């Protein structure tokens, strides 16, 4: 009896969970404005710090989302004003004279559709909590509710559970809320069930998409999770699609994804494959990133950069696996898969930065890496490099274990051993590699991850019965190893390949090419070089800072058709067996 009384006293003494309640009213959608109210539970400290995230999950870039906040106000539970001050770019401090609930109100300007954090117009709102809802570390683990007051004809959909009607949702805590966007507005909505899992497709915007085809292929896609992982981490999943103008991209979330494409970029086979492969990429993220992710990203710090040297696994490996699932499900043919591989490999080989920046370095620097000419010459990226290193490791594992172990096994072990909230480290990955193969991969890691990878694609692909070769009818062309755009009567250089002919001759981006060997250039750089051969020395006249200059260079060789990945019709039985162990379908030559 005494034990029961003691247990009862212990239970009653534990703090009870108190909801953080959010509401968003949209009565001026045409002006991209929303009004937010937040009720925080009773606070006993002398002050409460509240923050709006400075970035959003899935996009490793500081976005400074607090710049859209105006009319901030704070009151206690009796409606009395509370003193507050802004203490940094994304944090407000509310001062309390006595314990009380804290009620906030503020306006949000939401007109950044492409960042997929906040957007409101007269037809819809896309609500990522990062761009709308402030949080306090003191109450980050408390349950949350969200209530929307939106135009009457709007429909609201989220991966979160409905709370009180279709415009109200609930989540276990702020981390779930911030990873569960809401699409509300005038949209098309479809539901389907596959293997006892519930799915929804919601499309905002009209376009040349084929809903029946989308639904058919999504049903095929969602059956492929077991190809890599032992179980599914969700019971319900929402595919959100924006058919838009001026925005493109996608972001993974814990129970959903948002995919944006131009409204007229769904119809052709190439465009459709780009859409459905994006869906596959974000679907894979449900495990890789949302169920397990590198240490440094777990738990998220919403107001600072979250550094990791393993983003190439989080993103690049996801890109690598997307085509595997597409082929296995029958959505994509092997020839289409080879075309994707061709583009990836050729883009890698045309990026001089691959010899400068390793996968580890580009992962850590993702927050500050930028595009442009210098980036192409001195950097790479987590998607491209990570995808190819994943392939290199996958084929190495298959070869080492005679087809018994592959890279999918590595990710299944990461899921089993390192589910959130803990993140995994480089040593964890190396330990799994040793566990699966009995081999020490430390030197392999040093050669290909810590240092820039040097990949012999002909040798690598031959192991799985493929060839990387130039088409027989490819024509040799003269080149200056640079790209240019037509700017009226001149050609302006947009990229000068490091250590190429133009680079060595001193040319740089923004130089305006006037003539080659005193002959005025045409509207196309390649056409202007058709009269020359590789090895010819030419004089290039160009304008820099409004002054005319000349330089001499030796033309190099390129081809009108790049090398391609194709099936080797002479592949041996062992190569064909390795191909099937690698991709999961028969070799095309079978």
């Amino acid at each position: 009896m005494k034990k029961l009384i003691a247990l009862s006293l212990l239970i009653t003494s534990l703090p009870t969970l108190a909801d953080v309640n959010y509401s968003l009213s949209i009565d001026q959608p045409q002006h991209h404005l929303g009004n937010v109210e937040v009720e925080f539970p009773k606070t006993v400290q002398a002050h409460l710090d509240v923050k709006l995230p400075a970035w959003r999950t899935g996009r490793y870039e500081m976005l400074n989302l607090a710049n859209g906040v105006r009319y901030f106000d704070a009151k206690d539970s009796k409606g009395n004003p509370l003193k507050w001050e802004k203490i940094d770019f994304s944090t407000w401090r509310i001062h309390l004279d006595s314990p009380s609930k804290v009620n906030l109100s503020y306006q949000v300007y939401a007109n950044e559709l492409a960042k997929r954090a906040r957007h409101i117009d007269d037809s819809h709102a896309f609500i990522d909590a990062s761009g709308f809802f402030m949080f306090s570390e003191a109450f980050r683990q408390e349950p949350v509710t969200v209530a929307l007051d939106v135009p009457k004809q709007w429909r609201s959909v989220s991966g979160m559970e409905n709370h009180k009607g279709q415009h109200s949702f609930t989540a276990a805590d702020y981390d779930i809320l911030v990873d569960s966007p809401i699409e509300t507005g005038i949209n098309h909505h479809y539901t389907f069930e596959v293997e006892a899992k519930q799915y929804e497709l919601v499309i905002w915007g009209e376009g040349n998409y084929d809903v029946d085809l989308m639904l058919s292929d999504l049903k095929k896609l969602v059956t492929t999770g077991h190809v890599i992982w032992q179980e599914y981490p969700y019971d319900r999943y929402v595919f959100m699609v924006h058919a838009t103008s001026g925005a493109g991209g996608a972001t993974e979330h814990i129970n959903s994804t948002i995919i944006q494409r131009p409204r007229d970029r769904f119809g052709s086979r190439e465009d459709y494959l780009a859409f459905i492969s994006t869906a596959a990429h974000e679907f894979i993220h449900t495990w890789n990133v949302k169920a397990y992710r590198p240490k440094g990203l777990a738990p998220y710090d919403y107001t600072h950069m979250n550094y990791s040297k393993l983003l190439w696994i989080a993103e690049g490996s996801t890109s690598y696996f997307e085509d595997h699932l597409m082929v296995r499900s029958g959505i994509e043919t092997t020839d289409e898969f080879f075309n994707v591989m061709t583009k990836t490999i050729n883009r890698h080989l045309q990026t001089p930065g691959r010899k400068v920046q390793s996968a580890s370095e580009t992962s850590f620097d993702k927050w500050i890496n930028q595009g442009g000419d210098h980036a192409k010459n001195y950097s790479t990226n987590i998607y491209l490099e990570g995808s190819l290193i994943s392939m290199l490791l996958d084929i190495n594992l298959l070869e080492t274990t005679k087809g018994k172990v592959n890279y999918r096994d590595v990710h299944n072990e990461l899921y089993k051993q390192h589910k959130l909230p803990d993140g995994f480290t480089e040593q964890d990955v190396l330990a799994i590699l040793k566990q699966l193969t009995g081999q020490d991969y430390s030197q392999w890691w040093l050669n290909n991850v810590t240092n820039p990878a040097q990949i012999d694609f002909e040798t690598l692909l031959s192991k799985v019965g493929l060839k990387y070769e130039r088409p027989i009818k490819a024509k040799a062309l003269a080149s200056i190893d640079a790209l240019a755009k037509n700017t009226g009567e001149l050609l302006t250089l947009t990229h000068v390949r490091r250590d190429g002919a133009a680079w060595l001759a001193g040319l740089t981006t923004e130089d305006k090419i006037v003539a080659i060997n005193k002959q005025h250039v045409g509207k196309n750089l390649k056409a202007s070089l058709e009269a020359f051969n590789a090895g010819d020395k030419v004089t290039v006249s160009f304008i820099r800072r409004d002054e005319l200059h000349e330089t001499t260079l030796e033309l190099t060789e390129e081809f009108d058709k790049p090398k391609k990945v194709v099936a080797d019709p002479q592949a041996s039985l062992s190569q064909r067996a390795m191909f099937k162990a690698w991709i999961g379908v028969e070799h095309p030559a079978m």
Side-chain angles (χ1 to χ4, degrees):
M1 185 65 177
K2 289 181 179 180
K3 289 183 178 180
L4 290 175
I5 293 173
L7 180 60
S8 176
L9 290 172
L10 176 62
I11 292 172
T12 56
S13 67
L14 290 173
T16 57
L17 295 176
D19 288 359
V20 178
N21 299 310
Y22 296 92
S23 66
L24 171 64
S25 62
I26 300 175
D27 56 10
Q28 300 182 69
Q30 70 276 19
H31 297 303
H32 318 293
L33 296 173
N35 297 306
V36 177
E37 294 185 357
V38 190
E39 180 188 66
F40 288 102
K42 185 175 181 179
T43 301
V44 298
Q45 290 85 0
H47 68 263
L48 180 71
D49 287 347
V50 297
K51 306 176 182 182
L52 195 69
W55 64 285
R56 60 140 179 84
T57 65
R59 182 169 181 145
Y60 309 104
E61 174 188 356
M62 300 301 284
L63 301 176
N64 298 323
L65 298 168
N67 62 12
V69 174
R70 295 293 184 273
Y71 301 114
F72 183 90
D73 192 27
K75 290 182 170 63
D76 65 16
S77 55
K78 295 180 180 179
N80 299 313
L82 294 172
K83 293 181 180 180
W84 61 270
E85 59 182 322
K86 197 170 183 183
I87 61 173
D88 66 30
F89 72 103
S90 195
T91 306
W92 290 255
R93 175 166 290 172
I94 297 97
H95 298 278
L96 294 95
D97 295 327
S98 60
S100 173
K101 290 184 177 181
V102 174
N103 297 300
L104 307 182
S105 63
Y106 52 90
Q107 183 190 79
V108 171
Y109 177 69
N111 191 27
E112 295 176 328
L113 180 63
K115 291 182 179 179
R116 294 180 293 284
R118 56 184 185 192
H119 188 253
I120 298 172
D121 69 14
D122 58 355
S123 68
H124 95 130
F126 179 72
I127 305 162
D128 184 306
S130 305
F132 287 87
F133 300 138
M134 295 183 185
F135 73 100
S136 170
E137 290 290 353
F139 300 112
R140 181 168 164 176
Q141 304 305 317
E142 305 298 301
V144 301
T145 65
V146 179
L148 305 180
D149 183 3
V150 295
K152 187 175 296 184
Q153 69 272 32
W154 285 17
R155 177 194 289 114
S156 299
V157 182
S158 175
M160 290 184 287
E161 294 299 318
N162 285 103
H163 181 48
K164 296 177 180 178
Q166 70 148 313
H167 300 303
S168 180
F169 303 93
T170 183
D173 54 43
Y174 185 81
D175 292 297
I176 300 298
L177 170 65
V178 86
D179 226 346
S180 307
I182 303 168
E183 173 62 35
T184 181
I186 300 169
N187 51 56
H188 304 288
H189 184 242
Y190 310 89
T191 62
F192 58 96
E193 179 178 323
V194 178
E195 297 177 352
K197 304 291 183 183
Q198 304 301 314
Y199 297 91
E200 298 178 44
L201 170 64
V202 56
I203 307 174
W204 168 65
E206 301 302 324
N208 62 347
Y209 47 79
D210 181 336
V211 171
D212 290 337
L213 179 60
M214 292 166 72
L215 289 170
S216 174
D217 283 345
L218 288 175
K219 289 175 183 177
K220 295 174 185 176
L221 174 64
V222 299
T223 65
T224 60
H226 68 273
V227 168
I228 305 175
W229 300 280
Q230 61 181 11
E231 62 186 19
Y232 283 64
Y234 62 84
D235 292 316
R236 177 172 163 267
Y237 190 89
V238 180
F239 292 95
M240 300 177 182
V241 177
H242 289 169
T244 73
S245 297
T251 302
E252 73 278 4
H253 291 284
I254 197 168
N255 46 32
S256 57
T257 183
I258 170 63
I259 302 170
Q260 295 176 331
R261 285 189 64 77
R263 61 183 75 255
D264 60 350
R265 296 291 301 277
F266 293 86
S268 71
R269 180 62 179 172
E270 182 179 2
D271 283 340
Y272 178 73
L273 281 176
F275 160 73
I276 199 67
S277 65
T278 300
H281 183 101
E282 308 308 331
F283 174 65
I284 291 166
H285 270 317
T286 311
W287 290 267
N288 185 20
V289 171
K290 293 309 175 184
Y292 60 91
R293 58 176 170 262
K295 194 175 288 292
L297 301 182
Y300 288 134
D301 180 341
Y302 299 116
T303 55
H304 297 89
M305 297 181 186
N306 293 212
Y307 297 107
S308 170
K309 294 181 179 179
L310 295 172
L311 280 179
W312 70 269
I313 291 181
E315 293 292 348
S317 296
T318 300
S319 295
Y320 173 67
F321 282 135
E322 68 189 53
D323 286 287
H324 286 231
L325 298 193
M326 297 263 286
V327 171
R328 285 207 177 214
S329 62
I331 296 172
E332 183 178 70
T333 68
T334 51
D335 282 344
E336 289 169 335
F337 171 47
F338 299 156
N339 287 339
V340 173
M341 289 178 61
T342 294
K343 291 178 182 178
T344 302
I345 292 170
N346 288 340
R347 184 180 165 202
H348 165 82
L349 294 175
Q350 292 163 7
T351 304
R354 75 185 188 279
K355 297 181 179 179
V356 178
Q357 193 174 54
S358 70
S360 177
E361 291 169 330
T362 193
S363 293
F364 195 85
D365 284 351
K366 177 66 178 74
W367 293 89
I368 60 172
N369 274 349
Q370 299 179 0
D373 183 68
H374 181 267
K376 195 168 185 179
N377 278 324
Y378 290 96
S379 306
T380 182
N381 70 73
I382 55 177
Y383 299 90
L384 176 64
E385 208 68 10
S387 176
L388 293 174
I389 291 174
S390 298
M391 179 172 70
L392 181 67
L393 179 54
D394 199 0
I395 294 176
N396 178 281
L397 288 168
L398 287 164
E399 185 179 32
T400 298
T401 63
K402 302 188 185 307
K404 295 178 181 178
V405 174
N406 55 54
Y407 192 45
R408 300 187 298 276
D409 297 322
V410 175
H411 277 262
N412 189 42
E413 288 301 320
L414 284 170
Y415 176 60
K416 285 164 42 177
Q417 298 181 32
H418 297 287
K419 289 180 185 176
L420 294 177
D422 297 324
F424 63 86
T425 66
E426 291 183 5
Q427 292 306 313
D428 293 326
V429 181
L430 288 169
I432 288 173
L433 289 169
K434 189 168 186 177
Q435 168 196 328
L436 292 172
T437 67
Q439 304 292 317
D440 183 352
Y441 270 77
S442 298
Q443 189 61 49
W444 186 96
W445 194 274
L446 178 65
N447 294 342
N448 298 292
V449 178
T450 306
N451 293 311
Q454 304 296 320
I455 306 175
D456 179 343
F457 290 103
E458 286 86 352
T459 300
L460 180 67
L461 293 174
S462 69
K463 298 177 189 296
V464 290
L466 302 180
K467 299 173 75 174
Y468 179 59
E469 61 183 15
R470 196 169 310 279
I472 296 175
K473 296 183 179 180
K475 179 182 176 183
L477 303 172
S479 172
I480 67 169
D481 299 321
L483 301 176
K485 65 179 178 181
N486 179 265
T487 50
E489 294 297 314
L490 306 173
L491 293 174
T492 300
L493 296 180
T494 57
H495 171 58
V496 178
R497 192 177 309 146
R498 180 169 54 82
D499 297 331
W503 177 282
L504 296 175
L507 292 167
T508 189
T509 55
E510 301 305 320
D511 284 346
K512 298 175 176 60
I513 308 300
V514 178
I516 298 176
N517 280 0
K518 308 299 183 181
Q519 297 293 313
H520 183 255
V521 295
K523 295 182 178 181
N524 181 283
L525 181 58
K526 288 185 178 181
S528 299
L529 294 171
E530 285 180 349
F532 302 98
N533 297 308
D536 290 347
K537 290 185 177 180
V538 298
T539 299
V540 177
S541 304
F542 64 98
I543 293 175
R544 181 186 294 170
R545 294 188 301 275
D546 298 324
E547 296 177 352
L548 185 64
H549 300 266
E550 283 190 350
T551 188
T552 300
L553 58 80
E554 183 174 324
L555 298 172
T556 59
E557 184 179 65
E558 65 176 26
F559 292 84
D560 63 344
K561 293 181 176 61
K563 286 186 175 182
K564 295 182 63 176
V565 176
V566 296
D568 182 357
Q570 306 301 320
S572 66
L573 290 177
S574 61
Q575 287 174 313
R576 297 177 190 187
M578 191 71 82
F579 179 89
K580 185 171 184 180
W582 173 53
I583 197 66
V585 298
E586 297 290 349
H587 189 278
M590 292 295 285

